[in-house]
Amino acid sequence: ATQQRSYHERVLDHYNNPRNVGSMQKNNADVGTGLVGAPACGDVMKLQIKVDPNNDTITDVKFKTFGCGSAIASSSYLTELVRGMTLEQAGKIRNTEIAKELCLPPVKLHCSMLAEDAIKSAITNYYTKNPKAKQTDLGGT
Ligand code: FES
Ligand code: FES
């Protein structure tokens, strides 16, 4: 047996025990909501962040994903990753980091892309609601 956990183990752990499933009050000023879909398969991910306006830090994260196991695992892992990050740090997360952590095979790369799109969309939504907050350059993809 190998020391490396396999794709299935990593994905199944998050799939069977997804972290931070749920939703937040979308109308609250300190909540940013991202809702994105994957054109390739029609899967949908909703990701919400709660932000401390004093230091632009993500204090809570919730997600709901209607999609495949890899998409659920990607969003679950992402929620663990971004908690405690500043918006700027969270905006720099790339799907390749998620895919690498979960050992996603190439055919499942777009599932992790959904998670990257979702966090960016949530940050953008937060800034739309809080135009005075410092703008983060989310970069291109
Ligand atoms: Fe079947 Fe995503 S394409 S679950
Ligand atoms: Fe479409 Fe995973 S198969 S998000």
Side-chain angles (χ1 to χ4, degrees):
T2 154
Q3 290 285 87
Q4 272 270 350
R5 284 186 299 153
S6 70
Y7 156 61
H8 287 288
E9 266 176 84
R10 293 193 190 202
V11 171
L12 282 177
D13 178 37
H14 278 279
Y15 179 70
N16 289 323
N17 309 292
R19 281 54 139 189
N20 307 306
V21 174
S23 49
M24 295 179 203
Q25 194 44 257
K26 176 170 178 271
N27 295 327
N28 289 357
D30 60 349
V31 172
T33 301
L35 183 65
V36 294
C41 62
D43 292 352
V44 177
M45 187 180 291
K46 185 177 88 171
L47 186 87
Q48 294 183 297
I49 51 173
K50 191 183 172 99
V51 179
D52 179 346
N54 297 313
N55 54 10
D56 271 357
T57 298
I58 297 172
T59 56
D60 200 8
V61 203
K62 291 274 184 270
F63 83 93
K64 274 188 182 171
T65 294
F66 181 79
C68 72
S70 298
I72 291 167
S74 294
S75 34
S76 171
Y77 172 61
L78 179 81
T79 60
E80 291 196 316
L81 196 61
V82 300
R83 189 189 295 270
M85 278 188 174
T86 63
L87 294 176
E88 190 174 351
Q89 291 167 332
K92 284 183 184 149
I93 293 170
R94 291 294 169 262
N95 78 302
T96 44
E97 294 170 46
I98 298 166
K100 197 176 163 203
E101 165 66 23
L102 297 173
C103 306
L104 296 184
V107 69
K108 288 290 178 183
L109 271 183
H110 80 272
C111 315
S112 60
M113 196 63 218
L114 208 50
E116 180 187 321
D117 288 346
I119 183 66
K120 284 183 176 168
S121 166
I123 293 170
T124 301
N125 177 251
Y126 175 80
Y127 282 134
T128 304
K129 290 163 81 176
N130 300 274
K132 289 198 184 124
K134 182 172 145 285
Q135 281 284 349
T136 296
D137 177 14
L138 296 180
T141 43

